[in-house]
Amino acid sequence: MPNPTDSPESPHDSQVEVDHSPKPAHATTGSSTTPRSRLTKVPKMVANGSRAFMWYALAIIIVIIDQWTKWLAETKLTFHDPVPVIEPFLNWTLAYNYGAAFSFLADAGGWQKWFFSGLALLMSLVLIVYLIKAPRKATLLSFGLALVLGGAVGNLIDRLLHGHVIDFIHVHYADVWHYPIFNIADIGISIGVLLIIIDMLFLEKKREMPRS
């Protein structure tokens, strides 16, 4: 006989079905949930590392070209005797700069040689280290740093070997206007600084922007 205490099976005692359909993925932060698709990712900056040697090679090329052209100027030109190249805009004119850019402190008495040499050496060491740590994706920045490094080393060699920097590129307009005579190292430094500024103003923030 059935036990009188038994009662008919109630609907609540039946097995509850579990919904196994895929749920949208969420990432929980604090008390709120945010879909992963809406999360922003800060791009990870990978440093140049060993690839910095590629930029060192570019700097060495600048040094070689700079020293070779200065050797040609010393052997082929007469001091302060202009040789017209493109009249009336460009001459080859051998000149010596005992100071910094635009002959700054050229007449200081000799101590400026060691001051500017030490400054160039310090800057070169900083650039060597910075090229290793610079972001690998920052090609323009690394290119500019390499140009500045090559130019700094080129002029540093002049100061240590000769006590002055050898210049020979003379840009002018007839006898009305004359730009200070310069060299290949100066061109490398000028273009390099310009590229670094362009990177700082227009590209650096884009590299650091989070990606959705």
Side-chain angles (χ1 to χ4, degrees), residues 135-178:
R136 185 174 297 180
K137 295 177 62 176
T139 305
L140 193 68
L141 173 63
S142 297
F143 193 84
L145 293 172
L147 292 180
V148 175
L149 176 60
V153 172
N155 284 339
L156 174 61
I157 292 174
D158 281 13
R159 295 186 191 280
L160 295 178
L161 291 182
H162 312 292
H164 56 258
V165 174
I166 300 171
D167 294 323
F168 62 93
I169 304 174
H170 183 193
V171 176
H172 65 100
Y173 178 70
D175 288 329
V176 178
W177 172 83
H178 294 267

Side-chain angles (χ1 to χ4, degrees), residues 103-133:
S103 297
F104 176 66
L105 292 178
D107 301 323
W111 62 266
Q112 74 274 21
K113 166 189 172 181
W114 302 109
F115 174 75
F116 290 123
S117 296
L119 195 62
L121 179 59
L122 178 62
M123 183 174 66
S124 299
L125 294 175
V126 171
L127 291 173
I128 289 173
V129 175
Y130 192 36
L131 273 169
I132 297 176
K133 298 183 178 181

Side-chain angles (χ1 to χ4, degrees), residues 5-55:
T5 58
D6 291 341
S7 59
E9 184 178 352
S10 64
H12 298 288
D13 294 333
S14 60
Q15 186 177 2
V16 178
E17 293 185 0
V18 179
D19 184 7
H20 294 285
S21 61
K23 301 294 191 300
H26 288 70
T28 304
T29 305
S31 58
S32 61
T33 58
T34 306
R36 287 181 183 175
S37 59
R38 297 181 185 176
L39 288 177
T40 57
K41 299 179 182 179
V42 178
K44 183 180 179 181
M45 294 297 174
V46 179
N48 276 327
S50 60
R51 290 194 180 183
F53 287 98
M54 176 180 65
W55 301 113

